[in-house]
Amino acid sequence: MMAKKLRQAAVLTAALLSVSSMNAFAAENVSIPTQTMDPAIHAKLPADIKTSGVMTSVNNGSFPPYEIVTGANGLDGASADLAHALAEVLGVKIQHASVSGLSGILSGMAAGRYQMGIGPIGDYPDRQAKNDFIDFVKEYVVFGVRKGNPEKINSLDDTCGKRIAVMAGGSAEQVIRKQSDVCVKDGKPAVTVQSFSDQPTSILAVRSNRSDAFFSSQAPLTYFVEKANGQLELTGTGKSNGFGDIFQGTVVAKDSPVRDAILAGYQKLFDNGTYGIIMKKWGLEGNMIPAPGINLAKAQAK
């Protein structure tokens, strides 16, 4: 029953954050340049997409300020702006579909229901077996805690015996479960790992004192902290927290024929400054990388 109440409250929280406060977070009056279709990049698309003129991008609707669902098939945020500019360069329409969780995104990609997931989604070597990532940002993983950090959680070492919320199926969940094993091995209490399907539910659990911290990506946590009216703060910033360099990007099926077209489209947006304008509009300057690339996590240690 409590879980059901949390989910119901999270829906309301997500709606309020998505619609009423979205514009307050993004810089106002930012003009994003209109793109022109690049014939050479358009030519890289497979014949069926060139014929239909449509690509479908899938999201799970809970990764602000990148992805903010505004309706049945509506999307706002930095990724929505990037998708719009990319579509103009490719000379197609990119429409959006929402599913539940990362597993829904990846299974839908594998089944061919969607051509891409704009993301950004974490690029890790184990995911590259069935997917390719066109990386366009770098991310960091930190803790979202109640104001004043009453449980004194500043690093992974501080999570033993604590209730830590994570996104189900994500890389942060894997890291915190490994940390729990370390705690037990060292004779300390295990971490109580609380896995949720979306960001708003996780944040609500912390705000309502049902979780001690939310361990997740810095970009969305910064967004939620901004909207928490002083009730939350970030901790563990500037530390590795169990991760090496984290690259994130648009995910496509392994060796998808759209991969190289998307990469070329992103490269154009990087080169002409549109990428920088969009990232800065949404307060994501710290997540920018010099150039997009495919499967950049291959060079990172597992």
Side-chain angles (χ1 to χ4, degrees), residues 136 251 287:
F136 62 86
V251 63
N287 298 93

Side-chain angles (χ1 to χ4, degrees), residues 90-236:
L90 295 176
V92 299
K93 177 182 179 182
I94 294 179
Q95 58 187 18
H96 301 282
S98 296
V99 297
S100 178
L102 178 62
S103 60
I105 291 176
L106 297 182
S107 62
M109 297 278 303
R113 290 192 292 273
Y114 318 110
Q115 287 76 51
M116 60 187 285
I118 185 74
I121 294 171
D123 173 7
Y124 298 99
D126 60 330
R127 292 179 180 174
Q128 293 172 10
K130 297 181 180 179
N131 308 279
D132 282 326
F133 295 84
I134 305 96
D135 297 319
F136 62 86
V137 293
K138 191 174 179 181
E139 188 52 279
Y140 308 88
V141 181
V142 298
F143 297 94
V145 300
R146 291 186 299 284
K147 191 69 175 179
N149 193 11
E151 298 298 325
K152 309 302 180 186
I153 299 172
N154 295 295
S155 70
L156 283 178
D157 292 339
D158 301 326
T159 61
C160 299
K162 306 300 183 183
R163 303 165 299 170
I164 307 298
V166 291
M167 289 282 284
S171 55
E173 181 182 38
Q174 298 175 28
V175 168
I176 205 68
R177 290 192 184 281
K178 289 180 181 178
Q179 175 60 32
S180 184
D181 293 339
V182 171
C183 293
V184 173
K185 183 179 178 180
D186 291 344
K188 300 176 182 179
V191 178
T192 299
V193 181
Q194 301 171 318
S195 303
F196 296 101
S197 63
D198 56 57
Q199 300 269 358
T201 308
S202 305
I203 288 293
L204 180 62
V206 176
R207 294 181 69 170
S208 60
N209 197 23
R210 293 181 176 88
S211 298
D212 297 315
F214 179 27
F215 186 49
S216 190
S217 299
Q218 181 172 299
L221 276 180
T222 299
Y223 175 89
F224 282 115
V225 167
E226 286 276 341
K227 302 306 164 196
N229 297 319
Q231 295 180 354
L232 301 175
E233 65 181 76
L234 295 182
T235 66

Side-chain angles (χ1 to χ4, degrees), residues 26-75:
E28 296 181 0
N29 302 318
V30 173
S31 178
I32 299 174
T34 299
Q35 311 296 311
T36 56
M37 190 266 281
D38 187 310
I41 297 177
H42 179 81
K44 294 178 181 289
L45 291 169
D48 59 334
I49 292 179
K50 285 189 282 190
T51 299
S52 68
V54 177
M55 293 173 62
T56 301
S57 176
V58 61
N59 65 79
N60 68 4
S62 60
F63 196 39
Y66 290 107
E67 296 178 320
I68 305 170
V69 170
T70 58
N73 295 301
L75 193 71

Side-chain angles (χ1 to χ4, degrees), residues 77-96:
S79 294
D81 286 344
L82 192 61
H84 182 76
L86 178 65
E88 292 177 333
V89 171
L90 295 176
V92 299
K93 177 182 179 182
I94 294 179
Q95 58 187 18
H96 301 282

Side-chain angles (χ1 to χ4, degrees), residues 239-267:
K239 301 177 181 179
S240 62
N241 292 322
F243 290 84
D245 288 339
I246 304 172
F247 291 101
Q248 295 181 334
T250 295
V251 63
V252 299
K254 192 68 180 177
D255 299 320
S256 168
V258 304
R259 182 192 65 188
D260 293 342
I262 294 172
L263 176 62
Y266 280 160
Q267 187 63 65

